[in-house]
């Protein structure tokens, strides 16, 4: 049984295939072609313990457009909220659902669900990775830059978060250059890079040095969900890593600015730079729909 649990577990070929599939699904949707019914007569569970806008909407719409039905469940709706082990919930749902999409704090729990449910399981964000985001991002880069080959992608801000981890694995699998730049006293990624044995992803402390010649400037929130109690501790440490006109002037003249959203203006990005790049950023958000459809289709065909 196939699952989509991490970029780490993907091959180069599977990543390229997912991006290409998402591209075709997007083209079909633009033309009004909804003939793909890969999930016909299927019911997929969406089990989220964390808030979501883009991930939830894209999966619910995507399931319906592929001919299936979606069942949204939060912990308060399930016995998980009262302490039922994930493996017991998984074994029940595996007998009733055709697939599951899970967003929670634990990569281990998502992998456990996949093992015990024996149905296609998708990681919609955990503490360790956000793999669905990366497929949408790669599609966006392909659309605008033509390819990610030989590109320099710079991730600024919290470079030890789940999205950054997934980008590290994408770089290792696909071979492009990834530079992580953020405050070492708050989010030093060197231990993670060493654990991964990274050869394509590197850490650079100085953002002015990091973005020289960059083809893509990428950022995420500085305080991830579940870390709100660290907001005051983190305040001020990330200011030098804001994507603003100073940094974009150092990057490649055709550099893309990307943000996986939600965005807090004048923090991760200046208002001016964000609005100048809004078309790219919201195309990136839209591409979550096409990426989710490609991922689900790959698990059932």
């Amino acid at each position: 049984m196939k699952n989509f649990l991490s970029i780490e577990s993907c091959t180069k070929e599977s990543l390229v295939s997912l991006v290409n599939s998402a591209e075709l699904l997007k083209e079909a949707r633009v033309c009004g072609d909804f003939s793909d019914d890969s999930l016909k007569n299927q019911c997929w569970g969406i089990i989220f313990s964390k808030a979501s806008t883009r991930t939830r909407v894209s999966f619910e719409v995507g399931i319906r457009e592929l001919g299936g039905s979606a069942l949204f469940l939060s912990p308060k709706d399930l016995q998980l909220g009262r302490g039922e082990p994930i493996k017991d919930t998984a074994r029940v749902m595996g007998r009733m659902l055709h697939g599951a999409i899970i967003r929670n704090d634990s990569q281990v729990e998502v992998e456990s669900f996949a093992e015990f449910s024996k149905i296609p399981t998708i990681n919609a964000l955990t503490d360790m990775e956000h793999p669905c985001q990366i497929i949408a991002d790669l599609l966006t880069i392909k659309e605008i830059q033509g390819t990610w080959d030989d590109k320099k992608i710079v991730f600024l801000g919290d470079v030890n978060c789940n999205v950054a981890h997934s980008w590290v694995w994408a770089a290792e699998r696909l071979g492009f250059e990834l530079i992580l730049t953020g405050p070492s006293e708050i989010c030093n990624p060197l231990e993670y890079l060493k654990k991964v044995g990274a050869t394509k992803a590197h850490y650079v402390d100085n953002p002015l040095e990091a973005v020289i010649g960059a083809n893509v400037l990428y950022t995420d929130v500085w305080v991830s969900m579940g870390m709100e109690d660290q907001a005051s501790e983190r305040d001020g440490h990330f200011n030098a890593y804001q994507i603003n006109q100073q940094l974009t002037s150092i990057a490649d003249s055709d550099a893309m600015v990307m943000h996986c959203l939600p965005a807090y203006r004048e923090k991760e990005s200046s208002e001016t730079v964000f609005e100048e790049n809004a078309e790219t950023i919201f195309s990136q958000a839209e591409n979550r729909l096409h990426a989710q459809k490609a991922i689900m289709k790959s698990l059932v065909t």
Side-chain angles (χ1 to χ4, degrees):
M1 184 63 68
K2 295 187 294 183
N3 304 294
F4 185 72
L5 303 178
S6 65
I7 299 297
E8 178 184 2
S9 62
C10 293
T11 63
K12 176 180 180 178
E13 292 71 23
S14 65
L15 291 174
V16 172
S17 177
L18 285 172
V19 173
N20 290 341
S21 177
E23 188 173 34
L24 292 174
L25 287 163
K26 182 174 184 176
E27 291 173 0
R29 191 176 196 263
V30 169
C31 295
D33 178 2
F34 296 95
S35 60
D36 191 321
D37 59 356
S38 298
L39 301 187
K40 184 177 180 180
N41 297 324
Q42 293 194 13
C43 181
W44 281 55
I46 301 176
I47 307 164
F48 282 15
S49 64
K50 287 190 168 189
S52 172
T53 299
R54 284 149 291 278
T55 306
R56 177 177 175 178
V57 172
S58 58
F59 269 115
E60 290 204 30
V61 173
I63 290 168
R64 288 172 171 79
E65 291 189 355
L66 291 175
S69 58
L71 180 64
F72 182 82
L73 300 163
S74 70
K76 66 181 181 181
D77 299 318
L78 303 170
Q79 295 297 335
L80 278 172
R82 299 179 62 207
E84 182 177 53
I86 189 75
K87 63 182 181 180
D88 290 355
T89 298
R91 284 184 282 203
V92 170
M93 292 192 172
R95 293 167 183 252
M96 301 180 186
L97 298 173
H98 298 91
I101 301 147
I102 303 178
R103 182 184 182 99
N104 72 5
D105 291 316
S106 173
Q107 181 77 22
V108 172
E109 285 196 357
V110 173
E111 293 177 359
S112 179
F113 185 98
E115 175 186 356
F116 284 96
S117 71
K118 296 181 171 57
I119 58 175
T121 302
I122 296 173
N123 171 5
L125 180 147
T126 66
D127 56 336
M128 289 306 298
E129 281 210 40
H130 195 357
C132 297
Q133 179 68 55
I134 302 307
I135 303 304
D137 295 341
L138 291 171
L139 172 59
T140 309
I141 291 171
K142 183 181 180 184
E143 288 176 329
I144 296 175
Q145 298 275 0
T147 180
W148 47 76
D149 294 336
D150 301 319
K151 300 299 183 184
K152 177 180 178 180
I153 299 174
V154 180
F155 190 111
L156 301 99
D158 185 355
V159 291
N160 211 17
C161 70
N162 47 16
V163 178
H165 290 170
S166 289
W167 267 114
V168 168
W169 284 109
E172 296 304 308
R173 296 291 182 258
L174 296 173
F176 56 78
E177 180 184 8
L178 176 70
I179 302 297
L180 304 174
T181 183
S184 60
E185 69 276 14
I186 296 292
C187 57
N188 194 321
L190 290 176
E191 184 176 341
Y192 187 78
L193 292 175
K194 181 178 179 181
K195 176 184 175 182
V196 168
T199 60
K200 296 296 183 179
H202 306 280
Y203 173 66
V204 175
D205 179 73
N206 186 335
L208 296 174
E209 176 186 343
V211 304
I212 295 173
N215 304 106
V216 178
L217 301 180
Y218 191 105
T219 192
D220 191 3
V221 295
W222 292 343
V223 181
S224 297
M225 283 186 293
M227 301 176 66
E228 289 80 5
D229 60 339
Q230 298 182 28
S232 59
E233 174 189 343
R234 290 176 164 236
D235 187 45
H237 288 276
F238 289 90
N239 292 349
Y241 302 91
Q242 179 192 83
I243 301 180
N244 52 35
Q245 289 176 314
Q246 180 186 21
L247 291 189
T248 56
S249 69
I250 301 172
D252 184 79
S253 59
D254 295 321
M256 299 168 57
V257 172
M258 302 179 72
H259 195 310
C260 57
L261 302 178
Y264 297 91
R265 269 69 157 198
E266 299 303 335
K267 287 189 177 291
E268 310 96 56
S269 171
S270 69
E271 174 75 17
T272 299
V273 168
F274 185 91
E275 290 301 332
E276 287 175 348
N277 294 274
E279 180 59 32
T280 295
I281 293 167
F282 288 100
S283 292
Q284 177 189 357
E286 178 202 334
N287 283 342
R288 294 295 304 280
L289 170 61
H290 315 302
Q292 321 299 37
K293 290 170 72 174
I295 292 164
M296 290 185 288
K297 182 176 179 177
S298 76
L299 301 184
V300 299
T301 58

